[in-house]
Amino acid sequence: MTPQPDILHYAVSVVGKDRTGIVSGIAAALFRLGCNLADSSCTMLAGEFAVILIVSHVKPFSKSRLYDELKPVCDGLGMSLAVRTLQADEIARLETPGEICLISVYGADQPGIVYRVTNELAERGVNITDLNTKLIGTDDEPVYVMMLEAALPDGQTPEELEALLGDLKKELNVEIGVRVVTPVAL
């Protein structure tokens, strides 16, 4: 997003027990207010549903008006609400240098998978741009799945990163794969 002096931007977070109609209810309230949805991420975590939105509105507008209009909708859905005004330096879309890749981790559920993998990536200068985890399988044989979207540092290839993660793969007894995400030009 390019900063525009006549546009205000807000980060909106909504969290609560999952149920039908959460996204629709929030989107309807934002539409009635004349807000634009710039970026969004919505996901179910266990039985909870989490929504993070970047919304914009032409001046004059206020954080309190946005909150006051969304609060009854969220209360009706049993959701908590947080709204934060974003400054110009917080809305600029940062292009990530390096190749974008998808890193997948599969293995027996155990403490420390997220920490060990993300720590290894951070030490190698890999910037995580998205991360999702899920427990699948059965109660007797749970399988932990972690999917990361990441930007590699300049000069590093996905094949090199996968090889560098080989020791960690053995230590954790998990499968780790790294593949390129081909960007799509619109």
Side-chain angles (χ1 to χ4, degrees):
M1 287 177 278
T2 304
Q4 298 169 307
D6 59 334
I7 306 279
L8 296 166
H9 292 84
Y10 304 91
V12 176
S13 302
V14 178
V15 179
K17 187 176 185 315
D18 185 43
R19 61 174 283 188
T20 303
I22 294 170
V23 175
S24 175
I26 294 165
L30 293 170
F31 175 73
R32 285 191 303 273
L33 281 168
C35 290
N36 183 51
L37 257 173
D39 281 337
S40 65
S41 180
C42 306
T43 192
M44 187 165 53
L45 305 167
E48 294 291 297
F49 194 74
V51 177
I52 301 173
L53 308 169
I54 303 299
V55 301
S56 61
H57 196 286
V58 177
K59 290 179 181 178
F61 195 70
S62 69
K63 173 184 164 184
S64 61
R65 178 164 179 225
L66 179 59
Y67 184 88
D68 291 346
E69 293 290 330
L70 286 176
K71 182 70 170 136
V73 173
C74 290
D75 286 348
L77 293 167
M79 310 292 284
S80 64
L81 169 67
V83 177
R84 184 171 71 83
T85 303
L86 299 177
Q87 304 306 313
D89 64 332
E90 295 176 293
I91 62 167
R93 184 175 306 282
L94 301 174
E95 294 300 321
T96 51
E99 203 154 17
I100 303 296
C101 64
L102 183 66
I103 302 167
S104 58
V105 181
Y106 297 88
D109 187 29
Q110 59 183 295
I113 294 175
V114 174
Y115 164 68
R116 296 285 308 279
V117 172
T118 58
N119 186 62
E120 191 75 22
L121 294 173
E123 287 180 359
R124 300 187 183 293
V126 176
N127 182 29
I128 298 169
T129 57
D130 194 26
L131 182 148
N132 290 287
T133 63
K134 189 170 289 273
L135 194 57
I136 61 171
T138 65
D139 288 340
D140 294 332
E141 293 185 37
V143 176
Y144 195 76
V145 178
M146 179 168 58
M147 304 297 287
L148 303 98
E149 180 183 285
L152 301 182
D154 284 335
Q156 187 172 69
T157 68
E159 295 79 17
E160 290 170 339
L161 179 61
E162 189 166 359
L164 291 169
L165 295 172
D167 289 341
L168 184 61
K169 179 179 171 177
K170 290 175 189 167
E171 282 178 43
L172 294 174
N173 194 28
V174 297
E175 292 298 318
I176 300 177
V178 182
R179 68 178 177 85
V180 173
V181 174
T182 306
V184 177
L186 299 177

